[in-house]
Amino acid sequence: ERVTASQAALLQKLAMEPFTYGLVLKSVYDSGSLFDAKVLDITDDVLAAKFVSALNTISKLSLALNIPTQASVTHSIANAFKAILSVTVELENYSFDKADIYKAYLADPSAFAGSGGGGGGGGDGGETSAAAAVEEVEEEEAPPAVDMFGGGDGGGGDY
């Protein structure tokens, strides 16, 4: 409610300042559980972000453990395609439709270079980028797998 000028003058003479009152919520009690008051600030965006984070974690775990789940099947298919493609690219006598594009790119990367301004960069005329594209990419070999206790023979060692 508004304070009139005469009321404001009286309050000023009495050295009374305006104040507010209310409740400060510290925790929420629901069905036998006690929650922090921050749970009331959760929005749909926060829930969606947490859900996506959980799906990413499930996908990473299932890929690492080689357990197919609905969350990891797209990654598994992409990894299988990459494995098939890497073998097919090295073969001269075998190919398939999707691999032909990659074989053509590896044979002549300059044919796929864009024609138009890329937006800046060095003034070398693209010579270094073309040279980098022509270089073959060498794949690193994965180290041999070891068991949980550090031995490579799978015997488990002394307990």
Side-chain angles (χ1 to χ4, degrees):
E1 119 188 26
R2 284 201 78 98
V3 177
T4 63
S6 62
Q7 291 173 336
L10 179 62
L11 289 173
Q12 195 172 23
K13 287 180 185 179
L14 296 173
M16 297 180 86
E17 296 181 6
F19 64 93
T20 60
Y21 61 93
L23 297 174
V24 176
L25 196 60
K26 294 188 177 186
S27 50
V28 177
Y29 179 79
D30 183 38
S31 301
S33 298
L34 194 63
F35 300 102
D36 193 27
K38 293 179 184 177
V39 298
L40 298 175
D41 296 333
I42 295 176
T43 63
D44 289 341
D45 295 335
V46 172
L47 289 175
K50 294 290 184 181
F51 184 73
V52 167
S53 174
L55 281 180
N56 285 337
T57 302
I58 290 170
S59 178
K60 290 174 188 176
L61 279 173
S62 60
L63 283 173
L65 298 173
N66 290 327
I67 299 173
T69 62
Q70 193 172 9
S72 70
V73 73
T74 55
H75 300 288
S76 298
I77 290 171
N79 289 339
F81 175 74
K82 286 190 248 180
I84 292 171
L85 182 64
S86 65
V87 170
T88 305
V89 165
E90 294 297 323
L91 296 175
E92 295 177 9
N93 298 332
Y94 179 75
S95 184
F96 57 95
D97 294 338
K98 299 290 183 186
D100 291 338
I101 298 168
Y102 296 97
K103 280 187 169 186
Y105 177 76
L106 291 173
D108 186 19
S110 62
F112 291 90
S115 63
D124 62 352
E127 293 174 12
T128 57
S129 62
V134 172
E135 276 186 38
E136 289 187 23
V137 177
E138 295 182 22
E139 293 186 24
E140 295 181 21
E141 291 186 26
V146 295
D147 67 353
M148 190 162 96
F149 300 101
D153 58 349
D158 295 316
Y159 295 129

